[in-house]
Amino acid sequence: MGAVGGHSPYDFRIGFYNDMPLPASKAGEEQVIQRKLETEVILSPLATVELVRWLSQHIQNYEATFGPIAKPQMGVKKTKKPDVVQDSTELQGYM
């Protein structure tokens, strides 16, 4: 699961997708991944600003209750398996 998004002068867009490996027809072939766009959210610039404010407030409330949200460090060998593993894709490009 991941997300891609971008903006134009008129709107902000974010699309959420799932990646699914397709079965290889022959042994030794490269793995093919099929990406399916599940949903797309399109917001006006004003609605985007309001969403950012709402999210920021809820993140502050969450961290006040549960502590800071730690982002996993890439390339660092982990000695302990994390309780929750979540890979994400940076938002990129305009759809």
Side-chain angles (χ1 to χ4, degrees), residues 3-7 13-15 90-95:
V4 294
H7 61 86
R13 296 170 180 241
I14 184 168
E90 291 185 20
L91 295 179
Q92 54 188 329
Y94 184 74
M95 299 173 62

Side-chain angles (χ1 to χ4, degrees), residues 10-70:
Y10 313 104
D11 58 35
F12 285 76
R13 296 170 180 241
I14 184 168
F16 297 94
Y17 62 84
N18 276 317
D19 287 340
M20 184 174 71
L22 297 177
S25 58
K26 296 180 183 178
E29 284 188 0
E30 288 187 23
Q31 179 68 54
V32 176
I33 304 293
Q34 179 181 20
R35 180 164 286 175
K36 180 180 177 189
L37 184 64
E38 299 293 342
T39 192
E40 183 178 24
V41 178
I42 304 170
L43 297 168
S44 70
L46 178 58
T48 303
V49 168
E50 292 300 319
L51 177 62
V52 167
R53 286 186 187 137
W54 183 86
L55 284 170
S56 294
Q57 183 60 53
H58 283 272
I59 290 169
Q60 288 177 357
N61 295 347
Y62 177 94
E63 290 185 326
T65 302
F66 303 107
I69 300 169

Side-chain angles (χ1 to χ4, degrees), residues 72-82 84-87:
Q73 294 181 351
M74 301 301 283
V76 176
K77 187 175 180 179
K78 297 176 184 166
T79 56
K80 177 183 145 189
K81 189 171 185 173
V84 176
V85 176
Q86 183 174 352
D87 293 331

